[in-house]
Amino acid sequence: MFVSLLIILASSLVVIALFHRLRLPPVLGYLCVGLMVGPTAFDWVNESAALPLLAELGVVFLLFSLGLEFSLSKMIALHQVVFGFGSLQVILSGVLLGALLMISGMPATSAFLLGGGLALSSTAIVSKELGSLGEIFSSHGQNAIGVLLFQDVVAVLLLTLVPVFAGTSDQAWYWALPLTLGKTLVLFVGLSLTSRWLLPHLFHEVAASRSAELFVLLALVIVLLTAGLTHLIGLSPALGAFLAGMLLGESHYRHQIEADIRPFRDILLGVFFVSIGMLIDLRLFASHGLLILGLTLGLLLIKGSVVALLVKWRGSDNETAWRSGLALAQGGEFCFALMAQMQQNQLMPADLGGLLLAATFCSMVVTPSLLRAAPHIAARLHRKPNEEAKLEEISALSAGVQGHVVICGYGRVGQSIGRFLRNAHQSYIALDNDPVRVREAAVGESSVHYGDSHRGELLVAVGLERASLLVIAVDKTDTALQVLKEARRINPTVPILVRTRDDSQRAELKAAGASEVVPELLESSLMLASHALIMLGFPEQQVQDRADQVRHDRYSLLHGFYPGAEDDES
């Protein structure tokens, strides 16, 4: 076990470093490591009962982290996606795939059971990639996460039905279904009561001790305990971890918990992807390569089309529809477990199982690249059909506004600027591409709108041509540069203030038309230094003059940085 884990981690270290240089998703690297060290390639890793358990823990930690992002209030808002859209996706995809399997010669019961398994998507890959791309709370991201949550419940049900259909269980399917749903409801109620009455007191006591070690231990115990209890009652440990994270998402300790478990999550999730790669027989690609390619394309097209059509039918635009389809088109990790159980119970032939495993694996391999390419594809396509109405609505709201400030990016910095402007009775209009933030802000403010700030037609709609100032407060300099160029095309004379993390791209931003560039880190350092001098007794005017001189010299005094182990935080 220890030798196997060492080989996996050492191989992953080399391959992930290479993939990072090539700017490829780490998930692909872990899957390739699994193929490489598996029994059909170099055969470096022997079978071990502990590796699947470690791999499953990776998914458990991932779902717990995701639950922290999706608090109970957000999940209630997504109930139509989870139960309505999710159930339709599983039923339609399962029936279509089951019918095709039945035509190929499988018995009807086995065909539709396996069709249901193939209808499931990869929670681990989709959640991780959407999170890394910052698209969890986008329209297609919420569609994908909602459906994946429903699929986790369905996966448990399908695994429960395998012995029932094989004749090795005394329980009929019409009892297994309500029993599984009942267990899920009991689990949710139990975790709700625990998170409301017990966990806040535990976290308060641990936080009062000011021991980072205790806080990490408590977070780990909660994740493992909820996963273990869920497993004991016959449900998916990942589902229990998600529910626990979701209920803790309302607490004040959410961000600290997430930071504490992130290292465990990322490493264990890597082991999970390696274990998936080890299941694939490379010899099949040599003997049945074209057939596997055809099965992979068929799976992606069928599932992606079903999802896209359902999203479109629910009233969403074309872009949200096809991006939701891309996110959910692949096979899932639960399908591997289902096929293994079906083969053990002689519900499917081994040769067909090997081909379907390979096709499912290939669909998972291409998913990260498809998700990363989607924003570039969307940028090249025409804008969404319903955006015309949104633009007209925003234009109508801002038609009577003159001499206002336009704020691009309404995060912490943008909101602080907005409060100062509101205090000074200065009108402003803010844009942000986080739908949850916009929805929250819209409760108390009428001047915050959803949209990508680098879109010229949106800047025109908020009246940039009539504005007295543009503030670009987005947290990515590359995005700020795009907004800046588009804004200068629309209004060449408006003053533009750009917020950046540092001054590494100050010259480029100035050349693109920025009136002022405020490097956040350097400006905060300057303010701290000024306060220090005043507290030491230096005259306030002298300190102010020195600060002004540093700004005039483009912060040259603050250049020259000795990097340390945590230089990103300095």
Side-chain angles (χ1 to χ4, degrees):
M1 165 60 192
F2 295 107
V3 175
S4 298
L5 190 58
L6 175 61
I7 292 172
I8 288 174
L9 294 179
S11 303
S12 300
L13 180 66
V14 175
V15 173
I16 299 304
L18 176 62
F19 272 54
H20 181 72
R21 287 289 184 93
L22 298 175
R23 297 186 178 181
L24 292 173
V27 173
L28 295 183
Y30 286 119
L31 291 171
C32 290
V33 169
L35 282 173
M36 181 177 66
V37 304
T40 60
F42 295 118
D43 195 19
W44 288 346
V45 176
N46 299 319
E47 290 294 328
S48 171
L51 280 180
L53 295 177
L54 285 175
E56 188 175 11
L57 281 178
V59 182
V60 166
F61 278 101
L62 174 69
L63 266 292
F64 182 78
S65 299
L66 194 63
L68 291 172
E69 295 291 334
F70 278 83
S71 61
L72 182 59
S73 58
K74 292 174 184 174
M75 283 307 302
I76 292 174
L78 280 177
H79 71 278
Q80 290 184 344
V81 175
V82 176
F83 298 105
F85 180 29
S87 59
L88 284 174
Q89 184 274 328
V90 171
I91 292 171
L92 290 179
S93 299
V95 168
L96 280 173
L97 293 167
L100 290 173
L101 290 170
M102 192 171 65
I103 293 171
S104 68
M106 282 188 71
T109 302
S110 300
F112 285 106
L113 183 62
L114 182 55
L118 290 170
L120 307 181
S121 305
S122 176
T123 302
I125 290 179
V126 176
S127 302
K128 184 171 178 60
E129 286 302 308
L130 288 178
S132 64
L133 293 170
E135 297 177 358
I136 286 288
F137 294 110
S138 63
S139 300
H140 61 277
Q142 293 192 26
N143 285 338
I145 297 301
V147 171
L148 288 169
L149 292 176
F150 182 81
Q151 288 180 359
D152 281 347
V153 179
V154 173
V156 176
L157 178 63
L158 292 175
L159 292 172
T160 306
L161 291 177
V162 171
V164 175
F165 289 152
T168 58
S169 173
D170 297 330
Q171 195 176 54
W173 68 270
Y174 46 81
W175 286 114
L177 175 60
L179 184 61
T180 300
L181 297 177
K183 287 178 179 178
T184 305
L185 182 61
V186 170
L187 175 67
F188 178 75
V189 173
L191 290 176
S192 298
L193 295 175
T194 304
S195 67
R196 183 176 294 272
W197 301 110
L198 177 61
L199 292 183
H201 298 291
L202 282 176
F203 276 109
H204 178 73
E205 290 298 322
V206 170
S209 70
R210 299 185 181 276
S211 170
E213 182 180 1
L214 281 178
F215 205 94
V216 174
L217 282 173
L218 180 58
L220 291 176
V221 166
I222 289 173
V223 177
L224 297 177
L225 184 61
T226 52
L229 289 175
T230 311
H231 179 70
L232 283 177
I233 64 175
L235 295 174
S236 165
L239 177 63
F242 176 83
L243 292 177
M246 181 185 71
L247 295 169
L248 282 173
E250 303 283 355
S251 73
H252 299 297
Y253 304 104
R254 176 171 70 89
H255 297 292
Q256 184 62 43
I257 297 170
E258 185 179 13
D260 286 338
I261 68 170
R262 186 181 295 124
F264 302 95
R265 178 197 69 190
D266 292 343
I267 297 299
L268 292 173
L269 196 60
V271 176
F272 166 77
F273 289 123
V274 171
S275 69
I276 293 294
M278 291 171 59
L279 295 173
I280 306 305
D281 188 348
L282 283 174
R283 293 168 294 193
L284 285 174
F285 289 95
S287 58
H288 300 83
L290 290 178
L291 179 57
I292 293 173
L293 177 62
L295 290 172
T296 303
L297 291 175
L299 180 65
L300 292 171
L301 286 173
I302 291 172
K303 291 183 65 178
S305 300
V306 168
V307 171
L309 290 172
L310 285 175
V311 173
K312 187 67 178 172
W313 176 69
R314 293 178 73 245
S316 295
D317 53 83
N318 288 330
E319 184 182 326
T320 300
W322 67 259
R323 292 188 71 171
S324 300
L326 279 182
L328 295 169
Q330 77 293 135
E333 50 274 357
F334 285 113
C335 190
F336 286 85
L338 180 68
M339 282 193 249
Q341 281 204 17
M342 290 183 69
Q343 287 183 5
Q344 290 174 5
N345 287 273
Q346 299 180 344
L347 288 175
M348 66 179 295
D351 54 349
L352 178 62
L355 291 172
L356 289 177
L357 278 175
T360 303
F361 171 80
C362 290
S363 70
M364 295 168 72
V365 166
V366 301
T367 296
S369 299
L370 291 176
L371 290 177
R372 295 194 175 207
H376 303 289
I377 297 172
R380 294 177 181 275
L381 297 176
H382 59 81
R383 63 184 179 220
K384 305 175 185 179
N386 66 344
E387 283 183 350
E388 283 290 348
K390 293 180 181 178
L391 288 172
E392 290 176 5
E393 180 183 346
I394 295 172
S395 297
L397 289 172
S398 61
V401 183
Q402 188 86 18
H404 57 292
V405 178
V406 176
I407 303 174
C408 295
Y410 207 59
R412 185 178 298 275
V413 174
Q415 290 174 40
S416 299
I417 295 170
R419 291 191 185 101
F420 269 91
L421 293 175
R422 194 161 53 245
N423 235 5
H425 305 291
Q426 168 66 49
S427 61
Y428 68 91
I429 298 176
L431 295 172
D432 198 276
N433 62 355
D434 186 328
V436 175
R437 182 181 294 143
V438 172
R439 191 162 56 243
E440 295 279 341
V443 174
E445 304 178 41
S446 60
S447 56
V448 184
H449 304 291
Y450 174 78
D452 291 324
S453 301
H454 62 269
R455 288 178 49 216
E457 60 269 30
L458 190 58
L459 293 174
V460 171
V462 297
L464 181 61
E465 295 163 318
R466 307 184 304 276
S468 58
L469 176 67
L470 170 64
V471 178
I472 302 177
V474 296
D475 58 356
K476 294 182 179 179
T477 307
D478 292 339
T479 305
L481 195 58
Q482 293 177 2
V483 178
L484 180 58
K485 290 177 179 178
E486 194 64 25
R488 274 290 171 242
R489 183 184 66 81
I490 296 168
N491 190 339
T493 60
V494 65
I496 301 179
L497 175 64
V498 183
R499 162 250 183 161
T500 61
R501 182 172 174 76
D502 53 41
D503 65 342
S504 59
Q505 292 180 267
R506 176 188 171 91
E508 190 176 0
L509 290 166
K510 278 285 193 178
S515 306
E516 289 292 339
V517 178
V518 179
E520 193 174 346
L521 286 177
L522 298 184
E523 187 63 33
S524 61
S525 301
L526 181 59
M527 291 297 295
L528 283 171
S530 299
H531 281 291
L533 290 175
I534 290 172
M535 292 173 71
L536 288 169
F538 284 79
E540 189 170 338
Q541 187 57 48
Q542 181 183 345
V543 173
Q544 183 62 48
D545 291 342
R546 290 191 180 188
D548 291 341
Q549 185 62 42
V550 170
R551 292 189 182 98
H552 181 267
D553 295 338
R554 297 185 178 181
Y555 305 93
S556 59
L557 180 66
L558 303 181
H559 292 170
F561 169 58
Y562 300 114
E566 299 181 357
D567 54 346
D568 286 342
E569 303 296 329
S570 302

